[in-house]
Amino acid sequence: MLDRWLTEHDPDEISDVLHVRHLTPTPEVDPQAAQDWLGHELLRNYVSSGELDMLETVFRDLALPELADHLIKHKLPSDPKVRSGDFGEALSGALFRRVRRWCVPVLKLRFKHRPNQPVQGADFLAFRLRQVPPVVASPEVKTRLDKRLDVGREAAKSLQSVMDDLPSSILFVAAHLSERGVALGSRIGQLLVSEFRVERHIVLVHDERHWDRRVVERLEPELTDQTEVTVIRLPELRALIGEAYASAAGAPARIAARRSIGPGSASGRHGQESEPVDA
């Protein structure tokens, strides 16, 4: 769905250190289908398939609206600022996983203790472990609903802060995978003592109406290392985020409806596409 919903335009090489790629929605995709997909993607960023199975069992006798109410109160953020930031991280993570085929093995938003509490550290880590040497990316994501000309510069500073402490983020991913008994945890943990290459990425999720090229122009002087910037320009972004969270709360009901139709009506246990373990 994501590769059909967002169209990537010709890349723009601003300088030797700054490459920019723009993505915008395509009108060929049904808006309701895109909204449903966003709801499912948001939900899976907060709730694992195992946790959702457990919640469905617990709330079975109370019907799915009670489960939706639980998700709204205890899993999904209500603070508009936190919502917009989480939305940008979830969308960017999906772009790297499903379209650019990076390995993104840990979804950080699942580790929140409270819905409106931000999670510290890198927005997410992405890996290409089959390359020699392996490649690690820690995209810095910023979501803006209005015009902020310095958002690129802010992202560059945040990215550098993460780069300075990248081993801590690698350890976070390796430890959580190992706790789950996933062999990939050991492979990622080996990066702490072996050579790997770093790619620098910034993702700006921005309201289409308020996008301004000067964001990129102000960013370029801040960079000393090659950085790829992805700008996802979405119309009526504030409304889209609100609709996506409403869709996330209603996702279990849609999943149950598809499941009742029979096998083959959904692409997985909870209507999700299969993910790459390594890319």
Side-chain angles (χ1 to χ4, degrees):
M1 167 59 78
L2 184 57
D3 58 341
R4 292 185 288 113
W5 179 49
L6 293 180
T7 298
E8 184 165 328
H9 304 273
D10 292 337
D12 189 4
E13 188 170 333
I14 305 298
S15 68
D16 291 341
V17 296
L18 177 57
H19 300 170
V20 182
R21 304 162 75 175
H22 289 265
L23 289 85
T24 56
T26 177
E28 282 75 25
V29 172
D30 175 43
Q32 185 61 54
Q35 181 178 312
D36 287 349
W37 178 85
L38 284 169
H40 283 285
E41 189 61 35
L42 270 178
L43 181 62
R44 71 181 302 280
N45 269 264
Y46 293 103
V47 183
S48 69
S49 59
E51 184 179 0
L52 187 55
D53 283 340
M54 178 273 293
L55 288 171
E56 287 178 348
T57 300
V58 168
F59 285 92
R60 181 177 295 154
D61 296 334
L62 298 177
L64 286 167
E66 297 288 343
L67 173 53
D69 187 57
H70 173 84
L71 293 172
I72 291 169
K73 290 180 178 178
H74 303 292
K75 297 298 292 188
L76 305 177
S78 58
D79 185 302
K81 185 176 180 180
V82 176
R83 276 190 169 197
S84 64
D86 287 2
F87 175 90
E89 289 184 27
L91 180 59
S92 301
L95 175 68
F96 273 71
R97 281 195 327 275
R98 303 193 185 282
V99 179
R100 297 181 177 171
R101 308 308 288 177
W102 287 76
C103 172
V104 183
V106 169
L107 302 179
K108 189 184 73 172
L109 297 181
R110 291 180 182 175
F111 298 96
K112 286 190 170 203
H113 295 293
R114 296 181 180 86
N116 289 323
Q117 181 180 41
V119 183
Q120 300 301 313
D123 291 335
F124 63 91
L125 287 192
F127 303 89
R128 295 199 190 279
L129 297 174
R130 293 176 182 168
Q131 293 192 12
V132 181
V135 184
V136 180
S138 178
E140 177 63 30
V141 184
K142 296 292 184 187
T143 305
R144 292 296 180 267
L145 309 180
D146 50 17
K147 185 175 292 187
R148 302 289 179 89
L149 296 180
D150 285 332
V151 63
R153 297 169 64 182
E154 295 169 7
K157 292 177 181 178
S158 297
L159 176 61
Q160 188 56 54
S161 177
V162 170
M163 290 292 103
D164 290 342
D165 195 27
L166 188 56
S168 294
S169 296
I170 292 173
L171 179 58
F172 174 85
V173 171
H176 281 287
L177 291 174
S178 297
E179 286 174 1
R180 288 159 44 195
V182 179
L184 186 60
S186 296
R187 294 180 63 190
I188 290 175
Q190 284 295 316
L191 297 175
L192 295 170
V193 294
S194 59
E195 178 187 4
F196 62 88
R197 183 168 62 85
V198 175
E199 281 193 14
R200 299 168 60 90
H201 290 264
I202 290 173
V203 183
L204 304 178
V205 181
H206 211 286
D207 185 276
E208 169 71 42
R209 186 163 59 94
H210 296 295
W211 171 251
D212 193 312
R213 181 179 170 81
R214 286 176 291 176
V215 169
V216 173
E217 293 172 351
R218 292 191 180 194
L219 166 62
E220 198 275 336
E222 301 291 324
L223 303 176
T224 57
D225 298 301
Q226 185 171 320
T227 304
E228 182 171 295
V229 175
T230 299
V231 183
I232 304 175
R233 307 194 320 259
L234 300 172
E236 303 298 333
L237 181 53
R238 190 185 306 275
L240 179 65
I241 292 172
E243 292 164 358
Y245 274 95
S247 179
R254 293 194 302 275
I255 294 167
R258 284 204 301 269
R259 196 182 301 145
S260 67
I261 296 173
S265 59
S267 55
R269 172 68 178 84
H270 286 105
Q272 299 296 337
E273 307 164 48
S274 60
E275 294 183 44
V277 174
D278 189 10

